[in-house]
Amino acid sequence: MTKVLISTDAMSLALGSRRICALLAEEAFRRGLALDIVMIGSRGLFWLEPLVEVETSSGRVAYGPLKPSDVGGLFEAGFLEGKDHPLRLGLLKDQPYLARQTRLTFARCGIVDPLSIEDYRTYGGYVGLERALGSQPQEVVDEVKLSGLRGRGGAGFPTGIKWDTVLHAEADQKYIVCNADEGDSGTFADRMLMEGDPFTLIEGMTIAGLAVGATKGFIYIRSEYPHAYHTMSKAIEVASNAGYLGSSVMGSVRAFTLETRLGAGAYICGEETSLLESLEGKRGMVRAKPPLPALKGLFGRPTVVNNVLSLATVPWILANGGQAYADFGMGRSRGTLPIQLAGNVRRGGLIELAFGTTLRDIIEDFGGGTATGRPVKAVQIGGPLGAYFPASMLDIPLDYEALAAAKGMLGHGGIVVFDDSVDLSRQARFAFEFCAAESCGKCTPCRVGAVRGVEVMDRIIAGIEPQKNFDVLEDLCTLMTDASLCAMGGLTPLPVMSALTHFPEDFDKSPRVAAAAE
Amino acid sequence: MSVAILAAEFLTRMAQNLQPDQPSASEQYLGEDMTTYIQWNNDRAREIIAAHALFDGAALPILHALQFEFGFIHEEAIPLIADALNLSRAEVHGIVTFYHDFRRDPAGRHVLKLCRAEACQSMNGTGVAQDLLATLGISWGETTPDGSLTVEGVYCLGLCACAPSALYDGEPIGRLTLDTLADVVREARAP
């Protein structure tokens, strides 16, 4: 029976893959053809979606992007034998966009059936866990340290060091918490991985549990990701039934159980201490640090809080060795970074590459410029708290330190492209507006500063006493940076000040106001 | 396996993915449709609260389950939750009001969650959203006078490579235009 694979990743669904799926089934039924339709995750080439792949003797032949009206023609052309058609793409792995990538964390995403343990094992799954089960906890932690893996959530803290702290903390109960509250605009890698290869995250969390002596884990998923929540919850059920989770992990004497939890639309819960409060069933108010969550985290117990991608990379590190991972990358940024290219770009998608690729390479070569065909004016890197850079600065390499040196941040690796229709003073205002809407309210610089920021920006945009208001703006940004309790208030000045620094012309509203006043 | 069974099975499986008869905990959240909500009643609320009260950090799972059943968090739910979790009413009120997801009033028959974040802004999401709200004569978070559609703003749906985007009753829609949104409104208003 011919196997046809189609992505039901939320982004593929947004582009119409469910309708294509139904039409394929109907058309096959009408023609009396036997089809095995498998719903998988996406490879992340979203400008080609919705696409279908047909399993043939020479590999999986892809066709896309498909409109509902293309389905009949595909059958006529003999796509089930991989025959020619105007939308035939050949093998996806030969697409330059994919061929140029180094897929370690995303090696299986878009290839395997997300809920099939057999598929997962066929493609190298659970090799890392087997190794961890045969090792001492300290050996596992040391392997992660050797890999140089740094937290992919944004802060870039070395994962192995965090684990080491939890390993050596004394407690009756420790926890592994996965931060899947991926709220940054322009990022979707966590979502794709949870929908396309959930067992990788489960395996990574299980290894973390064995390494630090935690028997229970939680995955805190934002409610804006209903599909990821659904797939992840199902995958935990499948893994538990197959003996990969529970009181005896893979027949060993070690126990590890996992539960999913749903967020409730609060961006701040992506901040680790706020996330822990939320998991405990409270308002997501940020906690002061210290104590570090590694020592006093969930329910006051030592807790590893890691991002989805950090945890999902661990199985590869254990299976292939920490050194093999560290061999990729540049400087102190080791391994690969799953970059998410989004916004106003022709070829948006997931691009996993070793650290060090330039922004220009990503936006021009991979992205093919803007979707609107107009010139690139600005790119925002690292979500709503990340800096805006002008087109003249695209030669910055993607690396934690290089971006910090350019007064930006890598964050979760999301890149949003804007064409020349964007007004950066509006974006600066939005940064404050967003902070005002999402601040937890615990500290004054963030709670009040964000509101004052919107007011100041409104005056600047209206051209009222510009110099005086620029002084207030700068003073406010310094205060928020220095005195906020967490990164929400502390980094909101980053998009604001970068917009002002690199696009001063957008903030100069005097001519327009002068004209209006006449 | 015969073809007929296979295709039929496939279609059912797909349909179930969206609207299961007996939703499991995770399936509950896939898709939101006011027509499936039931009228508020204390007894049913108590059952739901009891079923989730033993979860670690039970407040959010309880609130999600209540909203899934009734479409919003009724004022009378607050003392019930407070009792079950040994919290004060003020604490429960604090939790409910902290999170954007929890509604204090019923939504319309259909819910459109429109993304307002940067990636969607870069593709004129702001303009499209403003036009839609102006056409409907409502603001963010409000419901059309005929009760058919609630439009809520959200910050990022993770659909940023096909911006602007939205979730309509839980179903993702990308590359939104005024035309696609007009279709959504028409569908929402269909009897």
Side-chain angles (χ1 to χ4, degrees):
Chain A
M1 188 167 22
T2 314
K3 204 177 197 177
V4 175
L5 303 105
I6 186 158
S7 163
T8 46
D9 177 276
M11 197 119 62
S12 313
L13 291 176
L15 292 168
S17 73
R18 189 179 300 283
R19 177 105 183 92
I20 300 292
C21 233
L23 288 172
L24 282 172
E26 281 169 25
E27 190 67 24
F29 179 63
R30 215 169 54 79
R31 289 166 185 260
L33 296 168
L35 280 193
D36 181 9
I37 301 179
V38 184
M39 289 178 274
I40 56 175
S42 175
R43 300 291 283 280
L45 286 65
F46 289 108
W47 76 99
L48 296 176
E49 303 249 13
L51 62 80
V52 293
E53 290 176 277
V54 181
E55 206 156 83
T56 70
S57 53
S58 48
R60 288 182 184 177
V61 180
Y63 298 84
L66 300 175
K67 295 188 298 296
S69 55
D70 293 322
V71 172
L74 281 182
F75 281 90
E76 290 300 323
F79 85 117
L80 292 177
E81 288 85 49
K83 289 193 180 148
D84 211 17
H85 183 275
L87 295 175
R88 186 182 189 276
L89 299 164
L91 307 183
L92 277 187
K93 68 179 177 64
D94 296 336
Q95 288 282 319
Y97 199 89
L98 207 47
R100 285 187 56 201
Q101 299 191 31
T102 306
R103 292 235 167 157
L104 309 183
T105 310
F106 278 81
R108 279 176 292 261
C109 189
I111 296 175
V112 293
D113 177 343
L115 293 175
S116 159
I117 288 254
E118 297 72 39
D119 255 24
Y120 184 64
R121 296 222 63 159
T122 306
Y123 287 88
Y126 282 122
V127 174
L129 180 60
E130 275 172 345
R131 184 166 163 225
L133 280 167
S135 311
Q136 290 302 312
Q138 188 68 55
E139 290 171 346
V140 178
V141 171
D142 289 343
E143 201 67 49
V144 175
K145 272 191 192 166
L146 178 66
S147 75
L149 178 67
R150 293 168 68 178
R152 295 286 185 257
F157 189 82
T159 306
I161 292 176
K162 195 183 273 185
W163 288 20
D164 208 41
T165 309
V166 179
L167 168 62
H168 292 105
E170 294 287 337
D172 55 341
Q173 175 73 57
K174 299 177 188 178
Y175 294 104
I176 308 295
V177 169
C178 173
N179 183 345
D181 195 5
E182 180 184 49
D184 291 352
S185 177
T187 64
F188 44 81
D190 295 355
R191 185 189 57 66
M192 274 182 68
L193 191 111
M194 289 190 284
E195 292 178 16
D197 190 16
F199 294 123
T200 303
L201 178 56
I202 293 174
E203 185 184 352
M205 290 184 75
T206 311
I207 294 170
L210 297 177
V212 305
T215 52
K216 190 156 188 182
F218 292 94
I219 309 176
Y220 185 92
I221 305 174
R222 60 201 298 262
S223 61
E224 293 84 348
Y225 286 2
H227 300 81
Y229 177 69
H230 174 70
T231 306
M232 215 54 243
S233 303
K234 279 272 184 208
I236 288 172
E237 201 179 305
V238 171
S240 302
N241 291 339
Y244 291 94
L245 287 173
S247 54
S248 161
V249 171
M250 290 183 88
S252 72
V253 296
R254 312 293 302 274
F256 190 72
T257 57
L258 260 182
E259 286 179 32
T260 47
R261 281 289 190 280
L262 199 56
Y267 174 79
I268 193 60
C269 291
E271 196 281 335
E272 62 176 359
T273 62
S274 161
L275 186 152
L276 293 173
E277 290 286 301
S278 184
L279 261 182
E280 291 182 7
K282 304 173 187 160
R283 288 163 67 91
M285 305 286 277
V286 172
R287 295 178 186 170
K289 287 192 275 191
L292 294 173
L295 296 171
K296 212 164 178 291
L298 186 62
F299 301 112
R301 304 302 207 292
T303 304
V304 168
V305 186
N306 276 150
N307 172 257
V308 172
L309 300 183
S310 316
L311 289 162
T313 303
V314 167
W316 193 95
I317 291 169
L318 265 287
N320 298 276
Q323 189 55 50
Y325 190 74
D327 287 343
F328 295 98
M330 71 175 272
R332 284 170 51 214
S333 304
R334 310 311 312 174
T336 58
L337 172 70
I339 298 155
Q340 300 120 86
L341 184 57
N344 194 335
V345 66
R346 263 180 71 205
R347 294 191 293 264
L350 185 100
I351 305 162
E352 184 175 352
L353 288 170
F355 282 96
T357 319
T358 65
L359 273 171
R360 188 177 306 285
D361 200 15
I362 300 292
I363 292 162
E364 292 178 0
D365 290 4
F366 281 93
T370 63
T372 46
R374 302 171 67 97
V376 173
K377 176 168 172 180
V379 292
Q380 188 182 26
I381 304 164
L385 305 177
Y388 287 96
F389 289 111
S392 59
M393 285 179 74
L394 296 187
D395 291 312
I396 304 174
L398 287 168
D399 149 271
Y400 292 107
E401 279 69 37
L403 272 162
K407 296 202 167 138
M409 66 148 191
L410 186 51
H412 191 48
I415 299 177
V416 177
V417 182
F418 293 81
D419 72 12
D420 61 355
S421 65
V422 68
D423 177 343
L424 272 297
S425 67
R426 290 266 154 208
Q427 298 309 115
R429 185 193 186 278
F430 175 76
F432 283 123
E433 188 189 342
F434 180 71
C435 184
E438 297 299 327
S439 170
C440 80
K442 182 156 181 168
C443 72
T444 315
C446 175
R447 184 186 65 248
V448 179
V451 179
R452 292 290 169 264
V454 174
E455 293 165 1
V456 173
M457 279 313 304
D458 277 342
R459 288 197 291 270
I460 289 173
I461 290 169
I464 299 166
E465 296 184 283
Q467 200 45 55
K468 210 167 142 189
N469 280 301
F470 282 130
D471 290 346
V472 173
L473 181 70
E474 213 170 310
D475 190 46
L476 182 64
C477 282
T478 309
L479 176 88
M480 288 179 74
T481 307
D482 293 345
S484 297
L485 195 53
C486 81
M488 176 97 223
L491 291 176
T492 292
L494 205 57
V496 175
M497 291 313 288
S498 61
L500 181 59
T501 306
H502 302 305
F503 306 91
E505 65 282 6
D506 281 6
F507 288 75
D508 179 13
K509 304 294 184 185
S510 40
R512 197 188 62 195
V513 170
E518 277 163 7
Chain B
M1 198 187 299
S2 85
V3 182
I5 291 171
L6 199 84
E9 191 189 82
F10 172 78
L11 289 171
T12 327
R13 224 169 66 197
M14 272 210 330
Q16 275 173 351
N17 247 350
L18 253 196
Q19 282 161 336
D21 294 335
Q22 294 287 322
S24 70
S26 73
E27 281 165 339
Q28 282 196 355
Y29 205 71
L30 266 188
E32 184 167 34
D33 187 343
M34 188 63 192
T35 50
T36 63
Y37 295 143
I38 65 166
Q39 281 285 318
W40 169 259
N41 84 70
N42 271 310
D43 293 338
R44 178 69 191 122
R46 274 203 189 85
E47 273 173 36
I48 291 171
I49 293 167
H52 294 83
L54 293 178
F55 277 53
D56 293 319
L60 263 66
I62 287 174
L63 290 168
H64 275 301
L66 288 174
Q67 181 150 309
F68 180 76
E69 187 82 350
F70 304 111
F72 70 109
I73 308 297
H74 196 284
E75 197 55 35
E76 286 177 30
I78 293 185
L80 298 182
I81 298 170
D83 273 356
L85 300 184
N86 198 24
L87 296 171
S88 71
R89 291 178 189 197
E91 282 170 306
V92 178
H93 174 84
I95 298 165
V96 175
T97 51
F98 182 86
Y99 296 97
H100 300 306
D101 277 6
F102 301 125
R103 291 187 203 104
R104 312 300 308 281
D105 301 296
R109 286 191 299 281
H110 301 278
V111 176
L112 181 71
K113 296 190 177 195
L114 261 180
C115 178
R116 302 180 67 182
E118 290 90 338
C120 288
Q121 292 168 9
S122 78
M123 292 299 284
N124 191 32
T126 312
V128 171
Q130 277 167 356
D131 284 350
L132 174 75
L133 292 171
T135 309
L136 296 175
I138 58 172
S139 323
W140 291 111
E142 293 182 352
T143 304
T144 54
D146 65 357
S148 62
L149 184 67
T150 299
V151 181
E152 295 177 342
V154 290
Y155 291 116
C156 196
L157 296 164
L159 307 171
C160 322
C162 60
S165 64
L167 283 182
Y168 175 65
D169 291 343
E171 187 67 18
I173 323 173
R175 292 183 195 145
L176 284 176
T177 60
L178 283 177
D179 284 347
T180 44
L181 284 173
D183 288 343
V184 166
V185 173
R186 212 170 297 124
E187 196 185 313
R189 286 184 168 158

